[in-house]
Amino acid sequence: MGGGGKGTFAMTDVTPNEARMPEDAAVTVTNADTLRAMASPIRMRILGTLRVNGEQTVGSISEQLGEAPGAISYHLGQLARVGLVEKVKSPDGDRRKSWWKVCQSAIRLGSTEEKSSADKAKAMDLFRRSAALSYEMAYERFLDRLPELPREWADSCTSDDHVLNLTAEETSSMIEELNEVVRRWQIKAGMHGDDELGVEPVALILQAFRWVS
């Protein structure tokens, strides 16, 4: 989620599914109801795993996330209510299994408007705080697994920060340039085969915000 209200929901930007779901399948969220539906770390993880791994059953999602199937079904229902996920036919015809897919390649936040309602502003704040917690939890899961990962993956990852003296306009320009870089790598990621040796999902989280001491 980038600064200035024009960010892509991170952890979904660079995925093996880009070739199957074009970037124009991204949606810009503009209403409070959708923001509230997404404002949950577990729902963000559900969206993320569906984007990374494609169509899945409730049981598969439950196993990956370590959550009860009933809880997964409930959260899928809330996401489906606002059109972010939907049920699909079982590929093997087994109606006992509930299969789901994500409806967009990425989620972007609509620009903040001066006349935005208090309800939407509150929902936006709730979503941003949930997203921040989701990012933190994702990084902690990586750190927990780090000792088990091949050395090249430990050496290739980064976590750094900078504080730059910029105007709001310059900040928006910088974010757009960074997004262009990400889009070029999205294309490259889409060229990899599903079983190509050495290819793994990589989380890229881009944040830019006014520094507060």
Side-chain angles (χ1 to χ4, degrees), residues 199-211:
V199 176
E200 300 287 351
V202 173
L204 175 62
I205 300 172
L206 173 61
Q207 288 183 308
F209 51 90
R210 169 71 166 81
W211 175 257

Side-chain angles (χ1 to χ4, degrees), residues 36 119 149-150 179 191:
R36 280 193 295 267
D119 184 46
L149 296 178
N179 283 335
M191 294 178 180

Side-chain angles (χ1 to χ4, degrees), residues 78-91:
Q78 294 303 303
L79 292 170
R81 180 177 58 82
V82 294
L84 295 175
V85 300
E86 66 180 11
K87 276 188 176 182
V88 293
K89 292 183 179 179
S90 171

